[in-house]
Structures are given as structure tokens and as C-alpha cells.
Amino acid sequence: MTVKFKNCIILATGENGEFQVLKNCVLCVKDKLIEYIGDEASCPACDEVKDMRGALLMPGLVNAHGHGPMTLLRGVGGGLALQEWLETAIFPIEEKLTPEDVEIGERWAVAEMLAGGTTCVSEMYDFPAYTGRAMTETGIRGNISRVGLSFSDDAEIPAGRFDECVKLVKEWNDPDDRVRAEFCLHSEYLTKESFVRRIAEANRELKKTVNIHVSETKKEHVECKERHNGLTPIQYLNECGILDESTYCAHCVWVEDDDIEIMKEKKATAVYNPSSNCKLASGFAPIDKLRDKGVNTAIGTDGVASNNNLNMFEELHLASLLIKNCERDATKATAEEILKMATINGARAMGRSDTGELKVGKKADIIAVSMDKPHMFPAFSIPDILVYSAQASDVIMTMVDGRILYENGEFKTIDIEKTRADMQSCIVRLYS
Ligand SMILES: [Zn+2]
């Protein structure tokens, strides 16, 4: 099956990795891949032609840190400080969640993400097989994991957790490799050293990626140093070998200069979560410094309990404004850099170098953004208008693996009214 997109602006990637804004060109998709970008006259014949009427085609957004099923807890405990928020608002509801709830919550999350232009997501949550099933059925791309937790070095608590982490990685099977299982450690503070070392060993053997929360709060960062002879979370994880293979670290708000050096050397990624960090008043991650030192940086929404949405366009906007103001320098965090964080850099972090840019041979993970609304005209700079003006609601089409999953308000793979009703039943039970 081949599809040609015509009459559109294309935010493509050139040979040197720089963005190219192409006008009067077409983009052709063959099966799951981008087959052609260029003049219409030289385009191969296509089964279907889509007239985009001036819309912009860009790579789908990569949400490099999420907890999708938390749609069932959207905004719960708003206004509370982190510890009280977790203990009084979040954990009591999470304790009641069933695998079926998680699947429904993830399906609702995917609907929100597809409608807002996200094509690839990193999910960290309980019952990953159910999250994974919702992802497989809806067609989004992403990584899932069994959350690594360990509360004792003497006995395995929770029992069997290490085997569950490995089992998911070994046995999860998606022939399309669209939904992939990886390793996960919740954090330094919710895992013991022997467990961390075993996960590091397993990942060295199986060559997957590791997803982990790092230095989100000052408290967690300081207490780690007290627990581990002055080692920061990054230094401790490095000693345990967890950074030896591809690791991506959410938050990184309190990382220190030495941590940044280690992250660069070990090719670890820092995932920025601007809304969540601001809402929970965790602080400002030194993203500009990380970038300057050559650390890969990506962007995530975190869960909607602390955001309260999965709107990556909002994260782009906020990320740029915060980085500029942390540095008191308007030349920092250019729109191009921010777009890369939210596309190719996130894909790289998740071990998916075959997506995240519009280039021949890459996966056809493409979104179309309408340029029709007043706030999208005039568009003197395409990267700037995407980062500072565009809204998630400007997305009019979302394609993953060459398949259109969302178009002009219609979900092709999700029964949205049924899912809303399912969500409502879950909520009545969970909050009664
Ligand atoms: Zn998180």
C-alpha cells in the first residue's frame, strides 16, 4: 500500500541531521516506511493520494516519559506537596487498580496522545502486559516495562519481581516491534543495590534499554548521598553498572556537574518533564548544561496526575520558555533544538533510531498540523510556530507505521465512546 501526501509543508531532516522546510514537495509512504520526499514529478505512483490543503507534515512526537494509565487519576490531589500527594491522593487509588483498569486507562491515554500528535511513548506502570495490549490494539508505538522495585537486600520484596522484569523482556512478543519491552528501575530510592546490579547484568546480556526516575526531588537526591557515602543517584547507578547500556533518566532536576560528565560518557539520556516538575515544585533541570556537555536530552509529560494532560505541544512550549529563563538567555533552547528533543532525541533514548524524523527509509510515524487557525498565520518560521504557537488541537492526522490512527477528530482504532463509558465505570468504583 502506498500513499502520497501532496499540497503540504514538510518538516524533513537533511543529510546532516538539520531540519529542512520543504514547500511544493510531496511525501510518499510505502507500507510502514517513508519511501520518497521530493518533487511530485519524480514521485513513484501511489495507490492513494491525500491532498493536505496546506497542512504541515512533521515527525510524530515522542513522549519519552509517561505513566499512561494514570488518566484514571487525572489531577488527583492537585495542590499537595509531593510526599503528601503520593501518600494521601495517589497510592490509595493505585492500590485499587486492576489490570483491566490499567488497560482502559492506557487506551484513554493513547486516544489523548494520538489526537495531540504523539506517535511513540515510553510507558512505566504496573500490569505492563495490559498497557502493552492497549498500545498494540490502538497502533501507537512505545516501550513498556515491569517496574523494578526492591525493598530489601536480604529477601526479595516484592517477591519474584526480578524474574517478572526479565520475563516481560524475554517473552513480550510483538512481531511488528511496535511495542517493545525494556527494563525499568523505579528509582534509586525504591530499589536496593543487589537488585539494581542484577538488572544491570540482565540488561548487559539482553541489550535492551533501561527506564528510570533520577534526582527528581532535592530530598531524594540528598538522601541518596547519605545512604551511599556521598554518591549521587547517577554516581551510584553508574557504580552498579546500570548506565553501561542504554539508559534514559526521567527528571534529572538535581543532577550535579560530575553527574553530567558521567551521563555524557555513558551516553545516558536526560528526559525533561517541565509541567510535572513545575506542578510538583521539584525545581528546574539543568537541561541547557546537559545539552551543552553533549548529553542526549528528550521530553516527556510524566503521568497526568501531575501534569494534568499528555499534550506534548504544551511541553515543548514550556520546555523552551523555562530553559531560556533558567539561563536568562533568549538565545538558548531554540525551536529546532526543542523539536529535536521531542522527536529524534526521544526516539534515540528509547532505542528506536528508525523513527523520529521525516527521512526516506525511516518509519512512517507522521503527523499533520493544520495551519488554518488564526494563531498559525503568518508562519515566518516553521519550527518557531510549532513550538510557540501550535496547540495539540491543531493536529489533524496521526500516522504510525504507515497506518492512519487518527484523522480530523476520528479515531480509527479506538471506540472512543465505549472507552469513555469504561473509564466512567472504573472511576465510579475507584473513587466510591
Ligand atoms: Zn514518572
Side-chain angles (χ1 to χ4, degrees):
M1 174 74 182
T2 49
V3 184
K4 175 163 75 181
F5 292 97
K6 62 181 282 187
N7 197 6
C8 48
I9 305 165
I10 301 171
L11 187 68
T13 302
E15 278 313 307
N16 300 320
E18 78 289 3
F19 282 123
Q20 290 178 328
V21 177
L22 305 176
K23 292 175 180 169
N24 306 315
C25 283
V26 300
L27 183 148
C28 176
V29 170
K30 183 175 184 188
D31 301 326
K32 295 176 181 179
L33 303 179
I34 298 170
E35 187 190 26
Y36 176 86
I37 302 174
D39 289 344
E40 187 164 15
S42 314
C43 177
C46 288
D47 303 325
E48 188 186 343
V49 177
K50 289 186 89 72
D51 184 343
M52 300 310 287
R53 293 184 296 177
L56 171 101
L57 295 191
M58 64 175 282
L61 298 168
V62 178
N63 182 349
H65 183 68
H67 311 280
M70 288 186 100
T71 45
L72 287 160
L73 294 92
R74 190 186 302 272
V76 166
L80 295 177
L82 185 103
Q83 212 55 38
E84 195 187 356
W85 172 74
L86 279 173
E87 286 166 12
T88 67
I90 301 299
F91 292 157
I93 300 297
E94 284 191 328
E95 267 172 28
K96 297 187 197 173
L97 289 175
T98 66
E100 290 73 23
D101 294 336
V102 164
E103 187 174 338
I104 291 163
E106 178 64 17
R107 192 171 292 115
W108 195 245
V110 172
E112 184 181 348
M113 286 189 277
L114 294 177
T118 294
T119 53
C120 183
V121 61
S122 166
E123 290 292 15
M124 182 199 287
Y125 214 64
D126 272 351
F127 309 118
Y130 289 78
T131 308
R133 189 154 78 190
M135 292 164 73
T136 306
E137 284 177 10
T138 54
I140 198 166
R141 188 181 305 284
N143 292 6
I144 56 169
S145 55
R146 181 69 172 123
V147 181
L149 292 171
S150 135
F151 301 119
S152 166
D153 265 326
D154 305 321
E156 201 182 346
I157 306 171
R161 183 58 63 103
F162 176 77
D163 287 344
E164 288 172 18
C165 293
V166 175
K167 189 172 189 283
L168 184 78
V169 167
K170 283 190 170 167
E171 294 183 6
W172 178 263
N173 179 25
D174 176 1
D176 292 331
D177 196 32
R178 223 173 5 79
V179 179
R180 185 185 291 175
E182 65 184 359
F183 287 107
C184 163
L185 292 171
H186 179 278
S187 54
E188 173 274 332
Y189 61 94
L190 290 187
T191 49
K192 292 291 182 188
E193 184 168 342
S194 57
F195 185 88
V196 176
R197 288 186 182 277
R198 288 173 80 196
I199 292 286
E201 209 176 293
N203 194 43
R204 259 193 300 277
E205 183 196 329
L206 295 165
K207 299 257 179 289
K208 296 287 175 178
T209 39
V210 183
N211 182 10
I212 181 169
H213 294 112
V214 170
S215 298
E216 178 179 2
T217 65
K218 187 174 185 184
K219 178 174 182 287
E220 147 202 355
H221 189 80
V222 168
E223 287 179 358
C224 172
K225 291 167 89 166
E226 288 167 6
R227 271 191 291 273
H228 302 292
N229 294 319
L231 295 179
T232 64
I234 283 289
Q235 291 160 12
Y236 162 77
L237 293 167
N238 190 36
E239 292 247 327
C240 293
I242 211 74
L243 304 181
D244 289 351
E245 300 293 333
S246 311
T247 298
Y248 56 112
C249 311
H251 303 301
C252 297
V253 174
W254 294 93
V255 291
E256 301 177 20
D257 289 353
D258 289 349
D259 298 340
I260 294 175
E261 289 297 335
I262 293 169
M263 291 180 78
K264 187 200 168 188
E265 186 198 325
K266 296 291 183 173
K267 297 189 169 62
T269 294
V271 182
Y272 193 24
N273 298 275
S275 290
S276 176
N277 293 160
C278 284
K279 186 153 187 258
L280 292 170
S282 301
F284 305 100
I287 297 299
D288 186 62
K289 212 178 220 181
L290 283 152
R291 274 184 34 79
D292 251 16
K293 294 281 180 186
V295 175
N296 187 42
T297 52
I299 298 182
T301 56
D302 209 359
V304 300
S306 62
N307 186 307
N308 300 351
N309 59 45
L310 299 167
N311 178 351
M312 281 290 286
F313 278 99
E314 194 170 286
E315 298 302 312
L316 301 187
H317 192 179
L318 197 52
S320 179
L321 300 188
L322 288 178
I323 297 167
K324 286 177 190 298
N325 279 276
C326 285
E327 302 301 318
R328 303 276 198 279
D329 185 345
T331 67
K332 298 288 185 183
T334 65
E336 287 87 349
E337 288 164 3
I338 294 290
L339 283 168
K340 282 187 181 170
M341 287 173 72
T343 54
I344 183 77
N345 292 8
R348 192 180 302 146
M350 292 172 62
R352 293 176 173 279
S353 54
D354 55 357
T355 185
E357 51 190 350
L358 299 191
K359 207 172 178 179
V360 171
K362 297 282 178 178
K363 296 279 190 192
D365 295 351
I366 303 168
I367 62 173
V369 177
S370 167
M371 304 297 284
D372 288 347
K373 299 262 176 65
H375 63 268
M376 296 298 279
F377 178 82
F380 296 116
S381 156
I382 290 297
D384 277 45
I385 206 157
L386 288 171
V387 172
Y388 303 113
S389 303
Q391 305 292 316
S393 52
D394 293 322
V395 173
I396 51 172
M397 186 216 70
T398 302
M399 168 182 268
V400 180
D401 245 2
R403 184 176 169 210
I404 293 174
L405 305 179
Y406 172 83
E407 193 171 24
N408 298 321
E410 186 193 342
F411 295 92
K412 310 282 186 182
T413 54
I414 301 172
D415 182 338
I416 200 73
E417 287 314 318
K418 180 181 184 305
T419 309
R420 183 190 292 274
D422 290 345
M423 284 286 287
Q424 185 58 31
S425 306
C426 292
I427 287 160
V428 166
R429 197 189 80 252
L430 292 169
Y431 294 90
S432 60

